[in-house]
Amino acid sequence: MKLQDKVAIVTGSGRGLGRSIALLFGKEGANVVLAAHNRDQIEHVAQELKVLRKNAIAVQADVSDETQVNVLIQKTLEAYGTIDILVNNAGFRGPIAPTHKISLTEWEETLRVNLTTAFLCSKAVIPTMIEKKSGKIINIATTLTPRPNMTPYMVSKAGMNSLAKQLSRELKEFNIQVNAIHPGVMDTRMQEDIRKAGAKAIGTDMFDRLKEEGLLHSPDEPAKLVLFLASKTGDGITGEFLSFDDKEVKFLLSQG
Ligand SMILES: NC(=O)c1ccc[n+]([C@@H]2O[C@H](COP(=O)([O-])OP(=O)(O)OC[C@H]3O[C@@H](n4cnc5c(N)ncnc54)[C@H](OP(=O)(O)O)[C@@H]3O)[C@@H](O)[C@H]2O)c1
């Protein structure tokens, strides 16, 4: 198993990509810590893992709140004694509108939920990882292709790339690898929320067409890329941005 006895925190793991990552990590032997607002959803995922005789705990937390992040870390350490992997996955789409029509409140909320969460969770796990001279942090970003009318979301996700690069340099000497990924366009609640805004607001009917043509992929697929980076196969890769849509990345994953 690729993550035997590793301790992994996955934020936003009640549904969508976070759930897929948590289930895959658990199947690969990790002790998984699930965090999100929605208690029922994370407890359901923890139950799915327990049915498979895998270890998991669900910690209800808003990971944009430093106090709640610290409680999450404390509960992880109480349950499993260490932290090996952090996946900064929690996020939401933010407002869909031209930038000049977005309020400061919407802007700040989007950056807080999509980027400050990763800063807070990374800040909280780094001391443990430095002490053990090992660790993996994976930030879930998005495409590098500009998406008009989604500026706060796209800027926050560019920040996730930059944060990964910054941390990779700072933490290299401690054998901590930090990377960011684009998971591709997945069939999840967030995608549904984006389509609900309407093709006119988004400025493209691409997402409706991808859905109609069955071309949105399951989050189980990019979860394999996160596993690749979190496990030994990803050792030595740091400060990179890997896109699930990249053919070479798909080839790497096909090698097992
Ligand atoms: N779907 C796509 O096509 C796509 C494409 C590129 C990138 N991504 C990225 O992939 C990641 C997962 O997206 P998804 O499509 O799986 O979305 P999703 O189904 O909406 O899941 C998002 C998860 O984040 C949690 N969350 C949001 N704010 C949180 C907070 N403050 N504290 C704790 N948990 C929080 C949500 O749970 P609660 O509401 O219960 O907190 C939920 O579990 C996101 O970072 C997203 O930006 C998605």
Side-chain angles (χ1 to χ4, degrees), residues 179-239:
N179 293 288
I181 73 150
H182 168 42
V185 185
M186 304 175 289
D187 203 358
T188 63
R189 169 92 69 82
M190 184 182 292
Q191 232 312 300
E192 200 180 319
D193 288 345
I194 291 172
R195 291 195 306 279
K196 270 187 197 151
K200 199 167 168 226
I202 306 166
T204 173
D205 64 354
M206 176 180 81
F207 298 120
D208 293 319
R209 282 172 37 202
L210 289 174
K211 176 70 179 169
E212 278 161 25
E213 290 167 23
L215 294 174
L216 296 176
H217 57 252
S218 159
D220 293 350
E221 295 306 312
K224 293 174 192 161
L225 174 56
V226 182
L227 173 65
F228 173 86
L229 289 170
S231 60
K232 267 200 159 309
T233 47
D235 281 357
I237 301 177
T238 195

Side-chain angles (χ1 to χ4, degrees), residues 154-181:
M154 296 306 288
V155 171
S156 66
K157 292 294 178 179
M160 289 288 266
N161 282 336
S162 182
L163 179 65
K165 282 198 198 317
Q166 285 294 127
L167 290 179
S168 73
R169 300 299 188 275
E170 283 181 23
L171 300 173
K172 201 166 187 170
E173 64 177 295
F174 303 107
N175 186 32
I176 300 168
Q177 285 98 54
V178 191
N179 293 288
I181 73 150

Side-chain angles (χ1 to χ4, degrees), residues 55-119:
N55 294 327
I57 56 167
V59 182
Q60 185 179 29
D62 175 348
V63 291
S64 68
D65 177 301
E66 189 160 25
T67 305
Q68 294 185 46
V69 169
N70 290 337
V71 171
L72 168 66
I73 302 311
Q74 192 190 321
K75 288 192 173 171
T76 302
L77 293 173
E78 277 166 18
Y80 299 123
T82 193
I83 301 161
D84 299 291
I85 302 159
L86 167 68
V87 183
N88 287 312
N89 168 77
F92 88 124
R93 72 166 169 78
I96 293 181
T99 304
H100 64 281
K101 295 197 173 157
I102 288 165
S103 69
L104 177 60
T105 306
E106 289 172 310
W107 169 266
E108 287 180 342
E109 188 196 9
T110 312
L111 266 76
R112 187 171 57 81
V113 175
N114 288 341
L115 178 59
T116 306
T117 47
F119 159 69

Side-chain angles (χ1 to χ4, degrees), residues 5 26 29-33 46 49-50 53-57 80:
D5 299 328
N31 300 305
V32 184
V33 181
L49 282 165
K50 283 175 189 161
R53 297 179 185 275
K54 304 297 181 187
N55 294 327
I57 56 167
Y80 299 123

Side-chain angles (χ1 to χ4, degrees), residues 12 15 17 37-38 61-63 89 140-142 153 157 184 186 188:
R15 58 176 189 265
L17 178 61
H37 293 112
N38 188 312
D62 175 348
V63 291
N89 168 77
I140 307 303
T142 192
Y153 178 81
K157 292 294 178 179
M186 304 175 289
T188 63

